[in-house]
Amino acid sequence: MSSKVCAANAKNLRAVFSCLLLSFAGHLALSADAAAADASPLAPAWHAQYGGPKTDFATATTISDGQAFTVGGSDGDASCFASPYYVPELNCSFSVRANALQDGTQAWVYKSRGTATQVATGKGKVFAVGQGVYGSGQTNFKVVALNQKTGQVVWHNESLPKGAIEGGAFMVAVAGDRVIVVGDVLNGTQFGQTQYFIRAYDIDSGNIVWEHKSAKTGYLGVFAYVAIADGKAVAVGEYNDNFITNAYDAENGTLLWSRQEDSGGGGYDAAKAVAIRDGRVFVAGEFSTEGGQSRDDYTHVYDLNTGDTIWVSQLDSGGFDFLDAITAGKDGLFVGGTGGPSCLFFSPGTCLLTMFSLDPVTGAVLW
């Protein structure tokens, strides 16, 4: 999906950012599927499609205890698909489906008002997050906990923090007795009046344990991703056009450290994904060049305990480049995104799937 489609269907810069966040991730997933199909045209073990008569879409899936849990939206129109975070007023449904891994049989489906963006599991529950809708039409920061076996609602929360008029949840992570969700909230009707927002819930009751948001005077704040390890929750995103990483005590919400990276020259810098392994925080996103007219793939690695920089990688294909996926595993560090010499953000061009394998110790490109 192009930036022009996102812009055409979004109400403000917050909506454009959110639309791009999903569409780029979808582009990455679809491109990877296409590449896999070219390499080995294997038939799927099973295939399931849902929807109609209008548009249905999936935004994320996770696997647990022999089931696949998929979230997204449904019952909307093409604009609902183009910008699912911010057009629930077009009758999009916040949807969660459970399918058996063995044969694809649907075990249950849950729907309510809004759109769902991410999903995680823990303690026999499925946690879906996204954006709900109040009766007034205002959007909210929505979290729903469902029984993993039956799909029944265990608890849900659609409240906004004090001073916010709208909101949206982008990512959820679960560890121990905490469900931690990140996104943003809108504090005014003017361009860029958003605050990054993180909130922790008790996994059994849904009670809010702690929350934190950026200063109201900030410009365009958003958390795009969160990961939890060693008792710390690390949230990444963008704030005042800077690439931002915050580390919190997952239990009580104490801000342990915060780092902002700025390419300078008034450009836009943003972190879009984070992974934690072996005491290191691996953050991937984009960094501005040419006075903000272009972007480079950017990976910044911090010490989990201190926030000190370990290494930085900035890669340029010659076009518009950005990363929106990162995995740190036993086989190494892998990042993915979009770019290429002919990838142009503000004019027609051809963008390609980008993948790198990086040395997790030094940041050197392995392939």
Side-chain angles (χ1 to χ4, degrees):
M1 190 182 308
S2 72
S3 59
K4 294 179 179 178
V5 172
C6 287
N9 289 281
K11 294 183 289 186
N12 52 39
L13 184 58
R14 172 170 174 259
V16 174
F17 176 88
S18 306
C19 176
L20 293 174
L21 194 66
L22 176 67
S23 61
F24 289 151
H27 169 75
L28 178 63
L30 291 172
S31 300
D33 287 345
D38 290 340
S40 179
L42 298 177
W46 54 265
H47 177 73
Q49 283 187 303
Y50 304 97
K54 295 186 179 181
T55 299
D56 286 55
F57 57 89
T59 56
T61 189
T62 191
I63 295 171
S64 178
D65 298 329
Q67 289 182 298
F69 302 98
T70 305
V71 299
S74 61
D75 305 325
D77 59 17
S79 295
C80 175
F81 175 78
S83 183
Y85 294 124
Y86 291 100
V87 284
E89 64 271 26
L90 297 180
N91 298 316
C92 297
S93 291
F94 182 109
S95 67
V96 187
R97 296 181 187 274
N99 293 79
L101 283 182
Q102 184 175 7
D103 58 11
T105 302
Q106 181 172 284
W108 51 262
V109 60
Y110 165 86
K111 291 186 179 182
S112 58
R113 292 188 69 189
T115 53
T117 60
Q118 269 293 343
V119 61
T121 60
K123 292 187 71 173
K125 303 176 185 67
V126 179
F127 303 95
V129 306
Q131 188 177 54
V133 187
Y134 293 123
S136 61
Q138 290 179 302
T139 55
N140 58 48
F141 196 88
K142 182 168 183 173
V143 183
V144 179
L146 305 171
N147 183 288
Q148 189 169 307
K149 293 182 179 180
T150 67
Q152 295 298 308
V153 176
V154 179
W155 56 263
H156 76 280
N157 190 299
E158 299 184 41
S159 65
L160 291 171
K162 184 178 180 180
I165 60 176
E166 291 191 34
F170 296 155
M171 178 61 63
V172 55
V174 179
D177 60 355
R178 292 287 178 267
V179 178
I180 298 181
V181 185
V182 298
D184 71 353
V185 292
L186 188 68
N187 62 60
T189 59
Q190 300 301 311
F191 185 78
Q193 289 183 301
T194 62
Q195 299 166 272
Y196 63 67
F197 185 56
I198 181 171
R199 178 183 276 172
Y201 305 83
D202 179 86
I203 195 169
D204 293 317
S205 67
N207 292 336
I208 297 171
V209 181
W210 57 265
E211 63 184 32
H212 179 243
K213 60 182 178 179
S214 54
K216 190 173 182 178
T217 55
Y219 171 82
L220 192 61
V222 59
F223 276 147
Y225 215 101
V226 63
I228 307 173
D230 300 334
K232 299 176 179 64
V234 180
V236 304
E238 185 269 338
Y239 183 57
N240 286 332
D241 288 338
N242 292 338
F243 182 107
I244 188 168
T245 305
N246 282 5
Y248 300 86
D249 184 301
E251 189 67 20
N252 59 37
T254 299
L255 180 61
L256 303 175
W257 54 264
S258 178
R259 300 290 181 268
Q260 291 190 52
E261 315 300 337
D262 182 7
S263 61
Y268 173 81
D269 310 310
K272 295 183 175 180
V274 60
I276 306 173
R277 187 175 178 86
D278 298 330
R280 294 185 175 192
V281 179
F282 301 90
V283 188
E286 61 185 78
F287 228 46
S288 290
T289 58
E290 301 175 16
Q293 297 304 304
S294 187
R295 307 281 195 277
D296 286 352
D297 295 319
Y298 187 74
T299 306
H300 202 117
V301 182
Y302 304 91
D303 182 281
L304 176 60
N305 293 316
T306 65
D308 293 340
T309 295
I310 297 175
W311 56 259
V312 176
S313 170
Q314 187 168 346
L315 304 170
D316 178 24
S317 70
F320 185 96
D321 304 296
F322 64 88
L323 300 173
D324 58 9
I326 189 165
T327 297
K330 63 179 182 180
D331 297 320
L333 178 66
F334 305 92
V335 294
T338 299
S342 298
C343 186
L344 307 174
F345 186 65
F346 295 108
S347 60
T350 301
C351 298
L352 304 173
L353 172 90
T354 299
M355 296 183 68
F356 294 100
S357 172
L358 303 178
D359 186 311
V361 177
T362 67
V365 177
L366 303 179
W367 53 260

